Amino acid sequence: MAIVYDEAEKVFLLNTQNTTYAIAITDETFLCHLYYGKKIQDSHIRYLLKEDESPYVPSVNKRETNSFLDMFPMEYPETGMGDYRESAFCVRNVEGHRASQCGYRHHVIKNGKPEISGLPATFASDEECSTLYLYCEDEVLQLQLCLMYSVFEKEDIITRSVTAENYGKQPLYIEKILSACLDVEDRNFEWVSLHGTWARERHIQAMPIAVGRQNVASFKGESSHQEHPFIALATKGATQDVGEIYAMHFVYSGNFLAQIEKNAFHMLRMTMGIHPEGFTWKLEPGGCFATPEVVMTYSAEGYGKMTHNLHELYRRHLIRSAYLHKDRPILINNWEATYFEFDEKKLLDIAKQAARLGIEMFVLDDGWFGKRNKDDSSLGDWNVNLEKIPGGLHKLSQELKALGLKFGIWMEPEMISPDSELYRKHPDWAIQIPGRDITQSRAQYVLDLSRQEIVDYVYEQIAKILHSAEISYLKWDMNRQLTTIGSMGLVADRQGELFHRYVLGVYQLQERLIREFPDLLLENCSGGGARFDPGMLYYSPQIWCSDDTDAIERLAIQEGTAMLYPLSCIGAHVSVCPNHAVGRVTPLETRGHVAMAGTFGYELDVTKLSEEEKEEIHKQIVCYHRYKELIREGDYIRLLSMQKGDRADAWMVVDKLKNRALVWCVRGLNIPNDKGFFLRLKGLDVESKYHIDEKQYSADVLMNCGIRIKPADKDFVSNIFYLERQTK
Ligand code: GLA
């Protein structure tokens, strides 16, 4: 049984294959966290609460409530009653008071996984998951909280979310409602997060934990380039295979807070949820608010197991697209090839050459609409620019079809240029504060998607374009953060809802889109990878990883991304050299190898290739077809990491039956006087032998002695090895 309630002990055990999460109810009706870690069978663990340690227990000595709360591991701590660590919940009533204490009232255990209305969330059948609902109440406020825990046994995952319901007669104002809190005694942990900026997303960072609060966060209205809605506690020096990891990942695409707090008693509190800054939600009588979901996992076997758990969860229980298990067409995108300077002829020249090389889809990026010849106009005016494409999109799609190519298109539906017909007609549609200049970013404003009429209008524009031609793919971009946070459609005491309502508007748009166009391949994007998060994966099976397409820069970016997300989600293209972002020259072969660890494609002017380059691209395409299923479906294993000090980056994918594997090894450029090394593999069947090229090796040899990586010279930067198990 995944969820067990021991009535006598008043203890819940939430069991997955390898882990247990335990919650207890105290005499005071507090819900408290007892344990999270390796699986335990016995629910006699109340001693962990130290209830005999008077005077710290309120039922024994009520006058010492404060000191009790300093230490007590509240399952969902609230503001204003004496727990001075980070709270998960803060509500203000009409009198202006901010304090609540919701006591346990009853619980329900059900098979299956509830949806969260309007929000992306993991899903599962009744056999795959069960859910615990803990109902708590504050009678003074007439407020009910429901803490939900869904247990995915097979994946070693627990997801958490919370609902707040006002059953009183006065409105309540929620000022903070996080999705999860976890108190853990410090066992010499460090904390891990992902950070970066434009063109340098999701580098891994591990830091010592200081007393006090340390967090990553976004206030930008999207999950952001800079910090990622992920946080982990890890045994200091944990490796891919060794060490304990507690991880939280947020299924949300807006502002977030992910925090570790250490107090004077070596207690760690890990919290995650919508960032309270700039957030207030008015809860009318009878109203209910649901938080987005936090995905939580524990690994006793290092980062590798954490990665595996998340990959399995996302592939089985989050990504809905029909493309999840389908081949994605190898695409060519014209952005780095032409930027805004193209006409139909130029596009078709690229397309013809692409088709000859074996590329399967042509994606028309920015600049095809309005009078957009650079990035300073026309967002919102989704009419094809007939000067550039005289025959319109339909004719273009047919010409591409005749070449054997599918057609994809770029849009940035959430935006409005000050220089656009749409803005001239509806200046109030931009997010703005009356009397203030709206901050421009990339010369554009953001549409106020908290307003239903704007969401409806935007949806019609997207649908109109998609109906106007044979379009198989949409790259949905979002190229700026939110500022000057005000809505012309919200009353004063609801302005604090704008950030969250905006995200709900985005989700509504994408939900409608995938329902009306179920065969559309949707790729999300945000100035590269600023909205690469589990929330967006619920709508699109792949997300553009970064505007930095340099193969060497991509190593750290893709490593951090693949630590959490399957390779099949990671948008990766081969581009021209010197690279547009960093000016580096990398062998075309290596650019191909790195892009193959994602949704493979091209983004360069293929009409300018030498014969040798054409041959190499042709080779890459043949190679990708051979391995694409393995890359998409296989288990990903990280072998070496240059950002963690290793001499190369290396990773592999192994199919579930351990019959086939693909290994990548990429070195830094220009290594002087190199002598090569041996790369030890993982995840193979120890009893078996594997072929690499014509040679045969025992799995134990490959995993303990390693495969030979030859010395780097100027032509050699990377290798991929294909392994096939020898059949008896
Ligand atoms: C963003 C995207 C790019 C490209 C441009 C177009 O930066 O990340 O891939 O689509 O917009 O303006």
Side-chain angles (χ1 to χ4, degrees):
M1 284 268 281
I3 302 174
V4 183
Y5 180 52
D6 181 333
E7 180 88 54
E9 289 291 306
K10 292 200 162 42
V11 166
F12 296 92
L13 294 186
L14 280 53
N15 293 319
T16 68
Q17 217 166 56
N18 299 295
T19 72
T20 297
Y21 186 100
I23 302 165
I25 309 164
T26 70
D27 293 347
E28 301 86 1
T29 72
F30 296 136
L31 281 170
C32 60
H33 179 67
L34 272 186
Y35 171 76
Y36 190 26
K38 268 193 182 177
K39 192 164 190 166
I40 54 172
Q41 309 291 345
D42 197 344
S43 47
H44 292 85
I45 51 171
R46 279 196 80 96
Y47 72 93
L48 294 170
L49 285 179
K50 302 188 265 189
E51 283 167 307
D52 52 345
E53 266 185 36
S54 172
Y56 293 112
V57 180
S59 58
V60 179
N61 184 355
K62 213 168 177 166
R63 50 172 265 184
E64 292 300 346
T65 314
N66 260 8
S67 4
F68 158 77
L69 285 169
D70 264 351
M71 268 301 283
F72 191 74
M74 279 289 183
E75 194 55 39
Y76 195 68
E78 297 163 72
T79 300
M81 301 300 281
D83 182 345
Y84 298 109
R85 289 169 289 165
E86 185 76 39
S87 68
F89 185 70
C90 177
V91 65
R92 171 169 48 88
N93 65 6
V94 284
E95 278 99 42
H97 302 134
R98 287 180 182 83
S100 67
Q101 197 159 53
C102 290
Y104 166 83
R105 293 295 170 268
H106 71 285
H107 70 268
V108 174
I109 297 171
K110 270 196 207 161
N111 289 335
K113 174 74 200 357
E115 285 183 6
I116 309 179
S117 172
L119 285 167
T122 54
F123 51 83
S125 69
D126 285 1
E127 291 71 43
E128 293 166 329
C129 177
S130 34
T131 301
L132 169 66
Y133 303 76
L134 293 171
Y135 292 94
C136 315
E137 262 174 45
D138 181 314
E139 277 83 14
V140 178
L141 293 174
Q142 304 204 296
L143 170 78
Q144 183 189 71
L145 292 182
C146 177
L147 314 184
M148 283 167 289
Y149 302 76
S150 293
V151 183
F152 293 80
E153 273 184 274
K154 216 166 154 191
E155 291 80 12
D156 285 326
I157 296 274
I158 295 174
T159 63
R160 295 175 61 172
S161 65
V162 176
T163 57
E165 199 178 326
N166 178 2
Y167 64 87
K169 294 199 165 50
Q170 298 286 344
L172 293 170
Y173 294 87
I174 301 173
E175 296 190 338
K176 177 192 213 176
I177 180 160
L178 303 185
S179 301
C181 170
L182 175 68
D183 281 7
V184 182
E185 221 173 31
D186 190 12
R187 297 192 294 273
N188 207 10
F189 289 119
E190 51 189 14
W191 71 294
V192 181
S193 60
L194 298 175
H195 68 100
T197 180
W198 174 78
R200 190 161 26 92
E201 295 90 339
R202 289 176 296 286
H203 285 222
I204 300 168
Q205 171 174 270
M207 298 282 286
I209 301 175
V211 172
R213 295 172 189 196
Q214 39 250 285
N215 64 53
V216 285
S218 167
F219 311 95
K220 297 175 180 238
E222 60 175 352
S223 40
S224 89
H225 292 103
Q226 284 71 15
E227 287 167 2
H228 193 74
F230 163 81
I231 199 170
L233 289 175
T235 308
K236 211 169 267 177
T239 66
Q240 286 300 311
D241 311 294
V242 178
E244 285 187 282
I245 319 280
Y246 293 90
M248 284 188 183
H249 204 188
F250 201 24
V251 188
Y252 189 60
S253 313
N255 291 353
F256 72 88
L257 171 69
Q259 182 169 282
I260 308 286
E261 177 177 7
K262 181 172 171 172
N263 77 356
F265 307 109
H266 302 278
M267 286 301 291
L268 300 179
R269 174 165 284 178
M270 194 173 177
T271 39
M272 180 173 273
I274 293 179
H275 205 296
E277 187 165 317
F279 172 88
T280 313
W281 193 275
K282 184 178 184 184
L283 205 57
E284 296 283 6
C288 185
F289 181 87
T291 72
E293 175 169 77
V294 162
V295 168
M296 213 166 60
T297 193
Y298 166 81
S299 159
E301 298 157 51
Y303 292 107
K305 180 76 169 81
M306 172 196 80
T307 296
H308 180 76
N309 295 349
L310 293 173
H311 285 199
E312 293 297 273
L313 183 83
Y314 295 153
R315 285 197 284 207
R316 294 189 192 134
H317 302 291
L318 181 66
I319 303 169
R320 297 175 296 172
S321 167
Y323 281 93
L324 175 60
H325 298 299
K326 263 185 19 193
D327 292 345
R328 326 266 167 95
I330 298 177
L331 66 81
I332 181 141
N333 177 304
N334 73 311
W335 178 240
E336 286 197 27
T338 66
Y339 296 105
F340 294 101
E341 280 162 37
F342 58 82
D343 55 22
E344 197 171 61
K345 178 173 177 314
K346 199 160 178 183
L347 299 178
L348 286 171
D349 285 348
I350 293 175
K352 275 178 206 149
Q353 181 55 39
R356 267 184 240 128
L357 292 167
I359 290 170
E360 299 159 310
M361 178 161 75
F362 180 86
V363 175
L364 175 55
D365 210 280
D366 197 353
W368 57 267
F369 53 92
K371 51 181 182 60
R372 192 161 164 94
N373 296 317
K374 56 193 234 230
D375 65 6
D376 62 356
S377 83
S378 305
L379 292 168
D381 298 344
W382 299 107
N383 307 307
V384 63
N385 180 335
L386 294 173
E387 274 169 38
K388 284 180 170 176
I389 309 171
L393 295 181
H394 179 69
K395 181 157 168 279
L396 181 61
S397 72
Q398 295 311 302
E399 284 180 79
L400 293 169
K401 194 175 178 181
L403 294 171
L405 293 173
K406 293 185 169 181
F407 178 41
I409 201 157
W410 176 99
M411 289 183 84
E412 197 179 352
E414 299 159 63
M415 297 294 149
I416 179 166
S417 301
D419 180 9
S420 66
E421 293 308 317
L422 186 66
Y423 186 70
R424 283 184 275 279
K425 200 161 157 206
H426 294 292
D428 63 308
W429 279 19
I431 287 181
Q432 61 191 281
I433 296 174
R436 286 190 187 281
D437 283 347
I438 313 177
T439 324
Q440 287 198 26
S441 184
R442 213 191 188 205
Q444 64 200 52
Y445 300 153
V446 184
L447 280 169
D448 181 357
L449 298 182
S450 73
R451 291 168 62 181
Q452 190 58 45
E453 71 272 29
I454 303 179
V455 170
D456 291 341
Y457 176 84
V458 170
Y459 185 73
E460 279 160 28
Q461 300 306 304
I462 306 169
K464 193 182 81 194
I465 291 297
L466 295 179
H467 282 301
S468 74
E470 243 181 280
I471 297 177
S472 309
Y473 160 106
L474 175 66
K475 177 175 171 187
W476 178 307
D477 208 344
M478 193 277 194
N479 276 322
R480 62 156 291 179
Q481 299 91 15
L482 277 54
T483 50
T484 357
I485 297 302
S487 165
M488 303 299 276
L490 289 171
V491 293
D493 67 351
R494 287 198 179 275
Q495 288 289 338
E497 300 176 9
L498 177 54
F499 270 124
H500 184 56
R501 285 189 183 276
Y502 177 83
V503 179
L504 294 176
V506 174
Y507 290 153
Q508 190 200 129
L509 280 172
Q510 297 212 352
E511 184 68 33
R512 284 163 72 174
L513 184 67
I514 61 170
R515 277 173 197 267
E516 188 176 344
F517 301 92
D519 297 328
L520 182 78
L521 173 55
L522 180 61
E523 175 157 351
N524 269 293
C525 171
S526 180
R531 209 162 54 182
F532 202 125
D533 59 59
M536 299 318 284
L537 278 189
Y538 188 64
Y539 306 96
S540 65
Q542 60 193 56
I543 304 175
W544 183 231
C545 186
S546 174
D547 279 349
D548 195 333
T549 52
D550 173 70
I552 302 301
E553 284 297 311
R554 273 285 181 131
L555 292 173
I557 299 172
Q558 292 183 198
E559 177 186 2
T561 309
M563 183 168 89
L564 309 181
Y565 302 93
L567 299 188
S568 64
C569 304
I570 301 176
H573 297 165
V574 173
S575 65
V576 77
C577 275
N579 177 268
H580 289 190
V582 293
R584 187 187 274 129
V585 176
T586 313
L588 181 53
E589 184 184 40
T590 298
R591 286 177 264 156
H593 287 162
V594 175
M596 261 179 230
T599 65
F600 189 61
Y602 290 86
E603 190 155 335
L604 74 175
D605 189 346
V606 283
T607 62
K608 296 189 177 140
L609 296 174
S610 68
E611 284 310 310
E612 207 182 310
E613 287 171 320
K614 283 184 206 159
E615 222 167 273
E616 171 58 29
I617 288 185
H618 183 68
K619 227 169 74 191
Q620 290 175 357
I621 288 174
V622 171
C623 175
Y624 185 70
H625 282 305
R626 195 174 302 147
Y627 305 134
K628 62 191 174 191
E629 191 190 334
L630 178 59
I631 296 168
R632 193 179 64 230
E633 309 287 337
D635 288 344
Y636 165 87
I637 304 172
R638 171 58 53 172
L639 301 172
L640 295 177
S641 161
M642 286 199 276
Q643 60 175 317
K644 291 186 178 165
D646 293 326
R647 58 164 85 188
D649 264 301
W651 64 93
M652 60 191 286
V653 287
V654 189
D655 78 330
K656 297 276 177 208
L657 299 174
K658 298 182 190 292
N659 287 334
R660 304 169 71 208
L662 196 65
V663 180
W664 285 255
C665 180
V666 188
R667 318 285 308 273
L669 292 168
N670 310 326
I671 307 166
N673 195 13
D674 185 52
K675 298 287 183 257
F677 68 101
F678 293 96
L679 173 66
R680 299 206 277 178
L681 306 187
K682 293 179 185 173
L684 303 174
D685 175 46
V686 191
E687 305 294 327
S688 297
K689 289 190 175 7
Y690 289 83
H691 288 287
I692 302 178
D693 297 325
E694 302 301 297
K695 296 202 186 99
Q696 195 190 70
Y697 302 84
S698 300
D700 57 353
V701 167
L702 291 172
M703 296 198 286
N704 293 308
C705 307
I707 48 175
R708 184 167 167 206
I709 304 295
K710 292 202 176 143
D713 61 37
K714 69 177 177 14
D715 298 323
F716 166 77
V717 186
S718 64
N719 251 135
I720 57 173
F721 303 91
Y722 174 63
L723 282 73
E724 199 161 298
R725 179 148 55 161
Q726 187 189 335
T727 46
K728 300 231 164 76

